[in-house]
Amino acid sequence: MDDINLVPQYSTSNVPGRCLKCLAEDELNKCLFQLLRDEGDDKELAKKFEMIVAFLKSPESQKLRDKSEYYLSEGKEVSVSITFTNGKPKYELKVKE
């Protein structure tokens, strides 16, 4: 299973941004529509769906959203990687100067 990478952007008067939660919810909707279209036969897509749901429900999600907003407000580029390792979700915040 590939990692899920979410890259939030800070909103300005000229550029509409996307928060981490919004990006995750967009990915969730894409997966859901694809699963419905394929009638749930894609196991990889079902796993991706489960990973995103777990991320959105986790207490770690709010912490990562807060941290990403903080770094974005400082003008830094941020990404969050969601992986599934040994049956457990793992979240990693990456910050570029």
Side-chain angles (χ1 to χ4, degrees):
M1 161 123 261
D2 293 333
D3 294 353
I4 300 169
N5 291 306
L6 304 172
V7 183
Q9 296 178 336
Y10 198 70
S11 293
T12 66
S13 59
N14 298 328
V15 180
R18 301 288 295 170
C19 74
L20 190 58
K21 181 180 178 184
C22 294
L23 292 170
E25 288 173 344
D26 286 348
E27 283 295 316
L28 185 70
N29 287 334
K30 288 178 193 175
C31 286
L32 179 60
F33 288 130
Q34 187 66 38
L35 284 168
L36 291 172
R37 193 176 9 224
D38 297 345
E39 297 180 8
D41 293 335
D42 189 337
K43 301 295 183 202
E44 287 290 314
L45 195 57
K47 186 86 161 172
K48 181 177 180 179
F49 181 84
E50 290 174 16
M51 286 172 55
I52 298 169
V53 168
F55 171 72
L56 287 169
K57 288 184 175 182
S58 76
E60 190 69 23
S61 172
Q62 183 62 48
K63 292 176 189 174
L64 289 170
R65 287 181 2 222
D66 292 343
K67 285 182 182 179
S68 68
E69 290 295 321
Y70 171 77
Y71 288 121
L72 288 170
S73 71
E74 291 188 337
K76 298 178 181 177
E77 292 181 29
V78 177
S79 68
V80 173
S81 177
I82 304 171
T83 59
F84 216 70
T85 308
N86 299 326
K88 294 183 180 182
K90 180 182 174 190
Y91 314 116
E92 181 181 3
L93 177 70
K94 298 174 187 172
V95 181
K96 288 184 183 179
E97 297 292 323

